[in-house]
Amino acid sequence: MLKRLIFLLLTVLIVSGAIAQQQIRIQCTNQYEAPIDKLTVTIAGQTTSYSPDNLGFTTITVDPADSLIINAAHHEPLTVAGASLKEGQVVVLEKKFTWKDLLNPMFYIVYGGLFLLLFIVFAETGLFVGFFLPGDSLLFVAGIYSTNLVDDLFRKFGFEGVRYEWLDLFILIALISVAGILGNAVGYWTGRKIGPTMFHWRDRFLFKKKYLYDAHDFYEKHGGGAIIFARFLPIVRTFAPIVAGIVAMDRKKFSFFNMVGCIAWVFSMIIAGHFLQKWIFTQFDFDLKKHLEIIVLGIVVVTTAPVLIKLFSGRKKEKVSQPPTK
């Protein structure tokens, strides 16, 4: 009789435990909204590995009474209660910082928001040290998250309410354009200050006064176009206004093309990010937010390819034009 009672009790416990357990589909991302490929779930000391499906969801078996530790490589472990997980819930794991994050535009949006974005645009065009910052990709991603950025701005100043989509875009484009125009103006002013002294420097291995005179002639002929197109070229956009100041490009001419180039650059990048994200998601069900690394790589290739092509084609022409040696 006692054996039957024990067997019955064990059966009840096993059945009740099986009923308590349930399968839940969750989506794991990090703070940059990048999907996590592989994760582990630890329950009562037992660890199970999971991989997401094609839609980015992972189906895990949980008991509402248990506590789970969700972890992934290079991420901080997250402890959650089984009862708190819901079907289709997005679980965010904190990615550990690496120096590669500085090249990720989402790093600046997550940790600095609009104010850090404005400073980066200013620094990339106005300070020598800003050449490594991700200007193009950052503006493209800012276009995707335009509503979030402007919402955060209004919330900080205590203004909340219904706004139109075009108003958010206008505010974002206007603020970033002002930051970029001021950045270029600072670069030009810096060049004007150091320019006269540089013309008295002695020729060195990396410096020739001939380069300054060549740059002066170039800016006299193509200065306006150079200031505009430099906006769309990484690294070049940092040094173009400084060189314009060094060779004493006309201030009014520089100011005009500085505004035109900056507004064109900011407008095209923000609008492309905002509407291209919606169009691609609607047409192909492809969320650019989850594949930002592709965006960054694509923009880098598109913006640097013309410079590299021009550089290498120029070298080939120079070699061909050299007379043969006897």
Side-chain angles (χ1 to χ4, degrees):
M1 185 68 179
L2 180 61
K3 291 183 179 180
R4 289 183 178 181
L5 288 175
I6 294 175
F7 177 77
L8 180 62
L9 180 61
L10 290 175
T11 303
V12 171
L13 290 174
I14 293 172
V15 171
S16 62
I19 294 175
Q21 287 187 338
Q22 55 183 327
Q23 289 189 327
I24 297 179
R25 294 174 74 243
I26 61 173
Q27 190 175 41
C28 290
T29 68
N30 58 33
Q31 68 270 36
Y32 307 133
E33 298 191 17
I36 296 176
D37 295 332
K38 294 182 179 180
L39 58 94
T40 61
V41 177
T42 302
I43 303 176
Q46 294 186 346
T47 301
T48 306
S49 299
Y50 294 92
S51 297
D53 57 22
N54 295 333
L55 298 177
F57 286 91
T58 302
T59 302
I60 63 175
T61 302
V62 299
D63 187 328
D66 288 333
S67 179
L68 297 77
I69 301 176
I70 304 176
N71 198 6
H74 311 298
H75 290 73
E76 297 289 347
L78 177 67
T79 302
V80 296
S84 67
L85 292 176
K86 307 298 180 183
E87 180 71 16
Q89 180 177 337
V90 177
V91 177
V92 180
L93 299 182
E94 187 78 12
K95 180 182 179 297
K96 297 176 182 178
F97 174 79
T98 62
W99 291 109
K100 288 177 60 178
D101 292 339
L102 295 178
L103 301 177
N104 183 356
M106 280 299 293
F107 172 82
Y108 302 97
I109 290 179
V110 169
Y111 291 107
L114 181 57
F115 291 107
L116 182 57
L117 189 155
L118 295 176
F119 174 76
I120 289 173
V121 172
F122 172 84
E124 193 190 18
T125 55
L127 305 177
F128 282 104
V129 295
F131 66 91
F132 69 93
L133 296 171
D136 295 316
S137 55
L138 181 59
L139 290 189
F140 190 94
V141 174
I144 297 177
Y145 291 90
S146 57
T147 302
N148 305 69
L149 290 169
V150 178
D151 279 344
D152 291 340
L153 175 66
F154 275 78
R155 200 175 296 114
K156 288 179 180 178
F157 289 96
F159 298 105
E160 294 188 49
V162 179
R163 296 188 313 277
Y164 295 101
E165 180 183 27
W166 63 266
L167 180 60
D168 289 344
L169 289 173
F170 174 79
I171 292 173
L172 192 62
I173 292 172
L175 291 176
I176 298 176
S177 296
V178 170
I181 291 170
L182 291 177
N184 254 18
V186 170
Y188 177 83
W189 177 83
T190 304
R192 288 293 291 249
K193 288 296 182 181
I194 66 176
T197 304
M198 293 183 66
F199 279 93
H200 297 285
W201 288 1
R202 293 181 179 180
D203 286 353
R204 296 181 178 85
F205 177 70
L206 295 176
F207 173 80
K208 308 281 185 199
K209 281 190 285 188
K210 177 180 178 299
Y211 300 156
L212 293 180
Y213 291 110
D214 290 343
H216 178 270
D217 294 339
F218 176 82
Y219 273 84
E220 284 292 321
K221 295 180 180 178
H222 313 287
I227 296 300
I228 292 176
F229 290 111
R231 282 286 184 180
F232 297 86
L233 301 175
I235 301 177
V236 177
R237 74 170 67 97
T238 302
F239 298 100
I242 299 173
V243 175
I246 291 173
V247 300
M249 180 180 176
D250 181 72
R251 185 179 284 105
K252 292 182 179 179
K253 182 180 179 181
F254 172 83
S255 299
F256 174 76
F257 288 105
N258 176 26
M259 289 187 288
V260 172
C262 185
I263 294 174
W265 176 55
V266 175
F267 180 85
S268 60
M269 290 295 171
I270 295 292
I271 293 298
H274 184 81
F275 290 103
L276 195 60
Q277 150 71 9
K278 289 187 174 182
W279 182 79
I280 291 179
F281 185 77
T282 302
Q283 296 293 324
F284 305 102
D285 196 26
F286 185 84
D287 193 353
L288 290 180
K289 293 180 180 179
K290 299 177 182 178
H291 300 85
L292 292 180
E293 69 282 356
I294 299 177
I295 295 175
V296 174
L297 182 61
I299 291 177
V300 169
V301 171
V302 170
T303 54
T304 58
V307 178
L308 296 176
I309 292 173
K310 183 69 175 178
L311 179 64
F312 287 108
S313 63
R315 287 182 176 179
K316 289 181 179 179
K317 290 180 180 179
E318 184 178 347
K319 289 181 180 181
V320 172
S321 62
Q322 290 179 352
T325 55
K326 295 182 180 180

